[in-house]
Amino acid sequence: MLRTKQWFVCLSFVGLCGGVACVEQQDDKPTAEDLAYVKQHLLSAAPAPQIVVNGDLDGKVVYLGLDAEPAQVEPGKDVKLTHYWKVISPPGEGWRTFTHVSGPNNQGYQNWDHHPIRGKYPVGQWKAGDIIRDEHTIRLPPTWPHSNVEIYVGIWKGNNRLAVKTGAQDGQNRLRVAVLEVKGQKPVVEKRHVVRKTKKAPKLDGKLDEPAWAEAPSMGVFVNTMSGEPVRQRTEAKMLWDDKFLYIGFDSQDDDVWAEFDKRDDKLWQQEAVEIMIDANADGRSYVEFQVSPKGMIFDTYLPEYRKYEDTLDPKAKPFSWNSGLKAAVKVDGTLNKRDDTDRGWVAEIAIPLTDVNGMAKGDDAVKVPPAFGDTWRINLFRLDVSKANGQEAQAWSAPMVGDFHKLDRFGTILFADEKGEVPQAAAAAPAPEEAPKDEAAEQRKAVRNKRVNAALEGVQKVGGQADEMKGAPAAQ
C-alpha cells in the first residue's frame, strides 16, 4: 500500500526526560493527486541520464545516473537535479536517501537530503523492480569560490550507510556521481616559489640581516584569506634551505603586538601567530602544521588526514602530542602585550628540521630528505593579526578563499634550487628516479609528485632565481 509522508511531533522535556521525545502521528492517506504524481515518477524502462553512474549500493539499489539542469552551475541560482534509482532488493524501513554537495576536499559542504518524489515515496516503501525518478533543486551560495561542485549520493539509516560496491566513492560510502563546472569561476592558478640553498646557516636571532636573507627573494605580500584582497598590515616571508633545515623568515607589520599563551601547543591561532603547513609528499591527505607566536611559543602537530590528529593513529595519544625539532627566534619592534601603545611589527625566524616535514609518516608516505635540486613540496603560510582596534584579520601566501587554513588544494608549491636560485641542468632534465611503488596508492603518490615537479620546473626563471608568482587567495585554522 502506497503511503504518503509521515509527520512527527518533537517535544523537548527539559529537566523531565533530559532529552527529546518524538511522537509519530498517524499517516496521511494518499490522495488521488499523490498517487498520480508517484506513478509519473516510477518508470517502466531504464532511463538514459546525462551522467551515467551505475553505482551498486550493497547489492540492494543501483544508482543509475543523474541529470543536471543547467549542466553548468551558477552560484546563487537553482539547479535541478534528477536522480535515477533502480531497486534490486528493498532496503527496508528507516532508510533514507542523501544528497551532499561540496567543493574539492569537502570544502563548502552542503546537505540537500530530502525524501524521494517530494516525500510521497520514501525508501521504506520501495519495491524490487522499481525504477525511480526523483527531482529536486539545489542552490550554491552566491559567494561559492570553487571552479566546480562535486555531488555525492547514497542511502543511510542512523549511523550506517549502504556500502558502495561499485562506483567512485570517498571511502565513507558516499557515491560520487558528478563534478559540475561552476559558471564564472576560473580555475585558480597555483602559487610557486623557488627556494635558494644557503652555504651558511643563518643565525636564529629574529633579525633576518645575514647576506643570505638579503639575497633571498620575497615570496610576495600576503593577502586576505577569504577574498585574496590586500590586507591592512603587510606581511612578507622568505625561505632558505640547507641539508638539515628549511628556514622561513616572517616580517610582519603590526601596530599592536601581543600574545598571552605561554605553553607549547597552546591554541596560538586564537591570538596572534604565524603558521606554516606542509604537505611534503603532495598526497593531498597528510601534512604537518607549525605555528609561532610573537611571544616565541610553538605549536606543532602531525595530521594523517584532513583535520585529524595524532590520536587517530594511536588511541593512547592526544591531539598535538607529536613534537618537532622546530627552533624559532622572535624580535618585536615595539612593546609586547602593551595594548595601549603603537608598535611597528615583529619578525619570526624559524628553522624546521627537514626530517620533521614527514611528521609521523614512514615508508612510501615519507619524502626523502634532504631534497634534491628540482624536488618540490606543497606548502602554505599564514598570519593571524588581531589588533585591539580592528579585530582579527587572517592573511595567507596562497589564499584558500574560505575560512579554513587546511584547504590543501590551495597550497602553493616550493621548488628546491641551488644558491643562485637555479636547478642544475641534469636535475631539470630528469628528476631522480624513485623506487618502484609497492602498491597502487604509492604509484598514485609518485605520479602526483612528478606532476608537481614538472609544473614547478616550467615556472623557474634562471634570471633572478624566482619562479613566476601567481595571484592566489588565502585560508585559516
Side-chain angles (χ1 to χ4, degrees), residues 131-152:
I131 299 176
I132 300 157
R133 179 177 61 205
D134 176 37
E135 302 170 338
H136 69 117
T137 59
I138 65 171
R139 177 181 291 187
L140 299 182
T143 55
W144 185 261
H146 311 290
S147 59
N148 56 45
V149 58
E150 301 176 0
I151 300 177
Y152 296 85

PDB file of all heavy atoms in Angstrom, residues 131-152:
ATOM      1  N   ILE A 131      11.966   1.504 -10.790  1.00  0.00           N
ATOM      2  CA  ILE A 131      12.921   2.461 -11.358  1.00  0.00           C
ATOM      3  C   ILE A 131      12.365   3.837 -11.017  1.00  0.00           C
ATOM      4  O   ILE A 131      11.296   4.223 -11.496  1.00  0.00           O
ATOM      5  CB  ILE A 131      13.088   2.293 -12.875  1.00  0.00           C
ATOM      6  CG1 ILE A 131      13.625   0.888 -13.190  1.00  0.00           C
ATOM      7  CG2 ILE A 131      14.050   3.357 -13.418  1.00  0.00           C
ATOM      8  CD1 ILE A 131      13.740   0.602 -14.680  1.00  0.00           C
ATOM      9  N   ILE A 132      13.061   4.549 -10.180  1.00  0.00           N
ATOM     10  CA  ILE A 132      12.536   5.760  -9.552  1.00  0.00           C
ATOM     11  C   ILE A 132      13.238   6.984 -10.105  1.00  0.00           C
ATOM     12  O   ILE A 132      14.470   7.045 -10.155  1.00  0.00           O
ATOM     13  CB  ILE A 132      12.718   5.681  -8.025  1.00  0.00           C
ATOM     14  CG1 ILE A 132      11.961   4.466  -7.479  1.00  0.00           C
ATOM     15  CG2 ILE A 132      12.270   6.964  -7.348  1.00  0.00           C
ATOM     16  CD1 ILE A 132      12.486   3.979  -6.155  1.00  0.00           C
ATOM     17  N   ARG A 133      12.419   7.955 -10.500  1.00  0.00           N
ATOM     18  CA  ARG A 133      12.955   9.253 -10.929  1.00  0.00           C
ATOM     19  C   ARG A 133      12.637  10.264  -9.827  1.00  0.00           C
ATOM     20  O   ARG A 133      11.478  10.489  -9.494  1.00  0.00           O
ATOM     21  CB  ARG A 133      12.320   9.692 -12.251  1.00  0.00           C
ATOM     22  CG  ARG A 133      12.815  11.059 -12.740  1.00  0.00           C
ATOM     23  CD  ARG A 133      12.210  11.414 -14.080  1.00  0.00           C
ATOM     24  NE  ARG A 133      10.746  11.495 -13.984  1.00  0.00           N
ATOM     25  CZ  ARG A 133       9.917  11.317 -15.003  1.00  0.00           C
ATOM     26  NH1 ARG A 133      10.388  10.988 -16.195  1.00  0.00           N
ATOM     27  NH2 ARG A 133       8.608  11.429 -14.828  1.00  0.00           N
ATOM     28  N   ASP A 134      13.661  10.856  -9.272  1.00  0.00           N
ATOM     29  CA  ASP A 134      13.496  11.774  -8.140  1.00  0.00           C
ATOM     30  C   ASP A 134      14.090  13.128  -8.503  1.00  0.00           C
ATOM     31  O   ASP A 134      15.279  13.226  -8.819  1.00  0.00           O
ATOM     32  CB  ASP A 134      14.181  11.203  -6.899  1.00  0.00           C
ATOM     33  CG  ASP A 134      14.137  12.164  -5.718  1.00  0.00           C
ATOM     34  OD1 ASP A 134      13.104  12.847  -5.566  1.00  0.00           O
ATOM     35  OD2 ASP A 134      15.130  12.230  -4.974  1.00  0.00           O
ATOM     36  N   GLU A 135      13.268  14.176  -8.446  1.00  0.00           N
ATOM     37  CA  GLU A 135      13.694  15.517  -8.828  1.00  0.00           C
ATOM     38  C   GLU A 135      13.709  16.441  -7.616  1.00  0.00           C
ATOM     39  O   GLU A 135      12.810  16.406  -6.778  1.00  0.00           O
ATOM     40  CB  GLU A 135      12.739  16.098  -9.880  1.00  0.00           C
ATOM     41  CG  GLU A 135      12.606  15.263 -11.144  1.00  0.00           C
ATOM     42  CD  GLU A 135      11.486  15.740 -12.055  1.00  0.00           C
ATOM     43  OE1 GLU A 135      10.566  16.429 -11.551  1.00  0.00           O
ATOM     44  OE2 GLU A 135      11.515  15.411 -13.256  1.00  0.00           O
ATOM     45  N   HIS A 136      14.732  17.262  -7.537  1.00  0.00           N
ATOM     46  CA  HIS A 136      14.763  18.325  -6.525  1.00  0.00           C
ATOM     47  C   HIS A 136      15.751  19.379  -6.982  1.00  0.00           C
ATOM     48  O   HIS A 136      16.471  19.200  -7.984  1.00  0.00           O
ATOM     49  CB  HIS A 136      15.134  17.780  -5.144  1.00  0.00           C
ATOM     50  CG  HIS A 136      16.551  17.305  -5.021  1.00  0.00           C
ATOM     51  ND1 HIS A 136      17.472  17.869  -4.163  1.00  0.00           N
ATOM     52  CD2 HIS A 136      17.220  16.307  -5.652  1.00  0.00           C
ATOM     53  CE1 HIS A 136      18.626  17.243  -4.271  1.00  0.00           C
ATOM     54  NE2 HIS A 136      18.506  16.287  -5.162  1.00  0.00           N
ATOM     55  N   THR A 137      15.825  20.499  -6.271  1.00  0.00           N
ATOM     56  CA  THR A 137      16.732  21.587  -6.654  1.00  0.00           C
ATOM     57  C   THR A 137      17.734  21.861  -5.546  1.00  0.00           C
ATOM     58  O   THR A 137      17.476  21.628  -4.367  1.00  0.00           O
ATOM     59  CB  THR A 137      15.960  22.893  -6.954  1.00  0.00           C
ATOM     60  OG1 THR A 137      15.234  23.284  -5.799  1.00  0.00           O
ATOM     61  CG2 THR A 137      15.014  22.702  -8.125  1.00  0.00           C
ATOM     62  N   ILE A 138      18.902  22.329  -5.963  1.00  0.00           N
ATOM     63  CA  ILE A 138      19.925  22.797  -5.036  1.00  0.00           C
ATOM     64  C   ILE A 138      20.312  24.210  -5.457  1.00  0.00           C
ATOM     65  O   ILE A 138      20.015  24.646  -6.582  1.00  0.00           O
ATOM     66  CB  ILE A 138      21.170  21.889  -5.031  1.00  0.00           C
ATOM     67  CG1 ILE A 138      21.876  21.935  -6.396  1.00  0.00           C
ATOM     68  CG2 ILE A 138      20.798  20.463  -4.661  1.00  0.00           C
ATOM     69  CD1 ILE A 138      23.231  21.254  -6.419  1.00  0.00           C
ATOM     70  N   ARG A 139      20.977  24.915  -4.566  1.00  0.00           N
ATOM     71  CA  ARG A 139      21.437  26.262  -4.905  1.00  0.00           C
ATOM     72  C   ARG A 139      22.737  26.527  -4.158  1.00  0.00           C
ATOM     73  O   ARG A 139      22.777  26.460  -2.930  1.00  0.00           O
ATOM     74  CB  ARG A 139      20.400  27.319  -4.529  1.00  0.00           C
ATOM     75  CG  ARG A 139      20.881  28.750  -4.805  1.00  0.00           C
ATOM     76  CD  ARG A 139      19.853  29.777  -4.398  1.00  0.00           C
ATOM     77  NE  ARG A 139      18.686  29.731  -5.255  1.00  0.00           N
ATOM     78  CZ  ARG A 139      17.685  30.614  -5.191  1.00  0.00           C
ATOM     79  NH1 ARG A 139      17.738  31.605  -4.294  1.00  0.00           N
ATOM     80  NH2 ARG A 139      16.665  30.518  -5.991  1.00  0.00           N
ATOM     81  N   LEU A 140      23.806  26.825  -4.904  1.00  0.00           N
ATOM     82  CA  LEU A 140      25.071  27.201  -4.286  1.00  0.00           C
ATOM     83  C   LEU A 140      24.988  28.643  -3.809  1.00  0.00           C
ATOM     84  O   LEU A 140      24.298  29.467  -4.421  1.00  0.00           O
ATOM     85  CB  LEU A 140      26.224  27.063  -5.281  1.00  0.00           C
ATOM     86  CG  LEU A 140      26.501  25.670  -5.855  1.00  0.00           C
ATOM     87  CD1 LEU A 140      27.703  25.740  -6.784  1.00  0.00           C
ATOM     88  CD2 LEU A 140      26.733  24.658  -4.751  1.00  0.00           C
ATOM     89  N   PRO A 141      25.676  28.984  -2.723  1.00  0.00           N
ATOM     90  CA  PRO A 141      25.672  30.383  -2.270  1.00  0.00           C
ATOM     91  C   PRO A 141      26.316  31.287  -3.316  1.00  0.00           C
ATOM     92  O   PRO A 141      27.202  30.856  -4.069  1.00  0.00           O
ATOM     93  CB  PRO A 141      26.491  30.335  -0.984  1.00  0.00           C
ATOM     94  CG  PRO A 141      27.315  29.091  -1.083  1.00  0.00           C
ATOM     95  CD  PRO A 141      26.502  28.109  -1.866  1.00  0.00           C
ATOM     96  N   PRO A 142      25.888  32.539  -3.393  1.00  0.00           N
ATOM     97  CA  PRO A 142      26.450  33.468  -4.386  1.00  0.00           C
ATOM     98  C   PRO A 142      27.958  33.632  -4.278  1.00  0.00           C
ATOM     99  O   PRO A 142      28.629  33.995  -5.248  1.00  0.00           O
ATOM    100  CB  PRO A 142      25.721  34.786  -4.085  1.00  0.00           C
ATOM    101  CG  PRO A 142      24.468  34.387  -3.378  1.00  0.00           C
ATOM    102  CD  PRO A 142      24.825  33.159  -2.586  1.00  0.00           C
ATOM    103  N   THR A 143      28.515  33.375  -3.080  1.00  0.00           N
ATOM    104  CA  THR A 143      29.955  33.564  -2.863  1.00  0.00           C
ATOM    105  C   THR A 143      30.758  32.283  -3.089  1.00  0.00           C
ATOM    106  O   THR A 143      31.920  32.218  -2.698  1.00  0.00           O
ATOM    107  CB  THR A 143      30.193  34.046  -1.415  1.00  0.00           C
ATOM    108  OG1 THR A 143      29.591  33.102  -0.496  1.00  0.00           O
ATOM    109  CG2 THR A 143      29.575  35.410  -1.191  1.00  0.00           C
ATOM    110  N   TRP A 144      30.158  31.263  -3.704  1.00  0.00           N
ATOM    111  CA  TRP A 144      30.856  29.996  -3.934  1.00  0.00           C
ATOM    112  C   TRP A 144      32.196  30.255  -4.627  1.00  0.00           C
ATOM    113  O   TRP A 144      32.244  30.835  -5.716  1.00  0.00           O
ATOM    114  CB  TRP A 144      29.995  29.092  -4.801  1.00  0.00           C
ATOM    115  CG  TRP A 144      30.540  27.717  -5.019  1.00  0.00           C
ATOM    116  CD1 TRP A 144      31.230  27.284  -6.125  1.00  0.00           C
ATOM    117  CD2 TRP A 144      30.442  26.585  -4.152  1.00  0.00           C
ATOM    118  NE1 TRP A 144      31.565  25.958  -5.985  1.00  0.00           N
ATOM    119  CE2 TRP A 144      31.100  25.509  -4.782  1.00  0.00           C
ATOM    120  CE3 TRP A 144      29.880  26.394  -2.900  1.00  0.00           C
ATOM    121  CZ2 TRP A 144      31.194  24.248  -4.201  1.00  0.00           C
ATOM    122  CZ3 TRP A 144      29.966  25.137  -2.324  1.00  0.00           C
ATOM    123  CH2 TRP A 144      30.617  24.089  -2.972  1.00  0.00           C
ATOM    124  N   PRO A 145      33.334  29.827  -4.026  1.00  0.00           N
ATOM    125  CA  PRO A 145      34.643  30.199  -4.564  1.00  0.00           C
ATOM    126  C   PRO A 145      35.278  29.182  -5.517  1.00  0.00           C
ATOM    127  O   PRO A 145      36.315  29.467  -6.108  1.00  0.00           O
ATOM    128  CB  PRO A 145      35.497  30.329  -3.301  1.00  0.00           C
ATOM    129  CG  PRO A 145      34.937  29.271  -2.395  1.00  0.00           C
ATOM    130  CD  PRO A 145      33.450  29.196  -2.691  1.00  0.00           C
ATOM    131  N   HIS A 146      34.690  27.990  -5.646  1.00  0.00           N
ATOM    132  CA  HIS A 146      35.355  26.904  -6.360  1.00  0.00           C
ATOM    133  C   HIS A 146      34.945  26.863  -7.841  1.00  0.00           C
ATOM    134  O   HIS A 146      33.849  27.288  -8.211  1.00  0.00           O
ATOM    135  CB  HIS A 146      35.036  25.567  -5.703  1.00  0.00           C
ATOM    136  CG  HIS A 146      35.242  25.563  -4.228  1.00  0.00           C
ATOM    137  ND1 HIS A 146      36.487  25.628  -3.645  1.00  0.00           N
ATOM    138  CD2 HIS A 146      34.356  25.541  -3.196  1.00  0.00           C
ATOM    139  CE1 HIS A 146      36.363  25.634  -2.334  1.00  0.00           C
ATOM    140  NE2 HIS A 146      35.082  25.578  -2.031  1.00  0.00           N
ATOM    141  N   SER A 147      35.810  26.299  -8.657  1.00  0.00           N
ATOM    142  CA  SER A 147      35.538  26.218 -10.092  1.00  0.00           C
ATOM    143  C   SER A 147      34.636  25.044 -10.444  1.00  0.00           C
ATOM    144  O   SER A 147      34.205  24.923 -11.584  1.00  0.00           O
ATOM    145  CB  SER A 147      36.862  26.110 -10.871  1.00  0.00           C
ATOM    146  OG  SER A 147      37.581  24.960 -10.461  1.00  0.00           O
ATOM    147  N   ASN A 148      34.353  24.170  -9.481  1.00  0.00           N
ATOM    148  CA  ASN A 148      33.422  23.075  -9.739  1.00  0.00           C
ATOM    149  C   ASN A 148      32.695  22.710  -8.449  1.00  0.00           C
ATOM    150  O   ASN A 148      33.011  23.213  -7.377  1.00  0.00           O
ATOM    151  CB  ASN A 148      34.149  21.857 -10.324  1.00  0.00           C
ATOM    152  CG  ASN A 148      35.284  21.362  -9.450  1.00  0.00           C
ATOM    153  OD1 ASN A 148      35.149  21.231  -8.239  1.00  0.00           O
ATOM    154  ND2 ASN A 148      36.437  21.096 -10.048  1.00  0.00           N
ATOM    155  N   VAL A 149      31.707  21.838  -8.590  1.00  0.00           N
ATOM    156  CA  VAL A 149      30.960  21.342  -7.436  1.00  0.00           C
ATOM    157  C   VAL A 149      30.825  19.835  -7.577  1.00  0.00           C
ATOM    158  O   VAL A 149      30.499  19.327  -8.651  1.00  0.00           O
ATOM    159  CB  VAL A 149      29.578  22.019  -7.311  1.00  0.00           C
ATOM    160  CG1 VAL A 149      28.743  21.819  -8.559  1.00  0.00           C
ATOM    161  CG2 VAL A 149      28.836  21.479  -6.094  1.00  0.00           C
ATOM    162  N   GLU A 150      31.133  19.109  -6.512  1.00  0.00           N
ATOM    163  CA  GLU A 150      31.048  17.656  -6.507  1.00  0.00           C
ATOM    164  C   GLU A 150      29.728  17.237  -5.873  1.00  0.00           C
ATOM    165  O   GLU A 150      29.303  17.808  -4.867  1.00  0.00           O
ATOM    166  CB  GLU A 150      32.221  17.060  -5.719  1.00  0.00           C
ATOM    167  CG  GLU A 150      33.583  17.444  -6.290  1.00  0.00           C
ATOM    168  CD  GLU A 150      34.748  16.940  -5.447  1.00  0.00           C
ATOM    169  OE1 GLU A 150      34.487  16.296  -4.408  1.00  0.00           O
ATOM    170  OE2 GLU A 150      35.895  17.198  -5.817  1.00  0.00           O
ATOM    171  N   ILE A 151      29.088  16.224  -6.457  1.00  0.00           N
ATOM    172  CA  ILE A 151      27.795  15.754  -5.968  1.00  0.00           C
ATOM    173  C   ILE A 151      27.933  14.309  -5.512  1.00  0.00           C
ATOM    174  O   ILE A 151      28.425  13.458  -6.265  1.00  0.00           O
ATOM    175  CB  ILE A 151      26.712  15.879  -7.048  1.00  0.00           C
ATOM    176  CG1 ILE A 151      26.575  17.346  -7.469  1.00  0.00           C
ATOM    177  CG2 ILE A 151      25.375  15.325  -6.547  1.00  0.00           C
ATOM    178  CD1 ILE A 151      25.587  17.568  -8.580  1.00  0.00           C
ATOM    179  N   TYR A 152      27.512  14.041  -4.278  1.00  0.00           N
ATOM    180  CA  TYR A 152      27.565  12.711  -3.680  1.00  0.00           C
ATOM    181  C   TYR A 152      26.152  12.273  -3.296  1.00  0.00           C
ATOM    182  O   TYR A 152      25.345  13.096  -2.832  1.00  0.00           O
ATOM    183  CB  TYR A 152      28.440  12.709  -2.424  1.00  0.00           C
ATOM    184  CG  TYR A 152      29.895  13.021  -2.664  1.00  0.00           C
ATOM    185  CD1 TYR A 152      30.340  14.333  -2.731  1.00  0.00           C
ATOM    186  CD2 TYR A 152      30.826  11.995  -2.809  1.00  0.00           C
ATOM    187  CE1 TYR A 152      31.681  14.625  -2.960  1.00  0.00           C
ATOM    188  CE2 TYR A 152      32.164  12.276  -3.026  1.00  0.00           C
ATOM    189  CZ  TYR A 152      32.581  13.592  -3.096  1.00  0.00           C
ATOM    190  OH  TYR A 152      33.908  13.865  -3.317  1.00  0.00           O
TER     191      TYR A 152
END
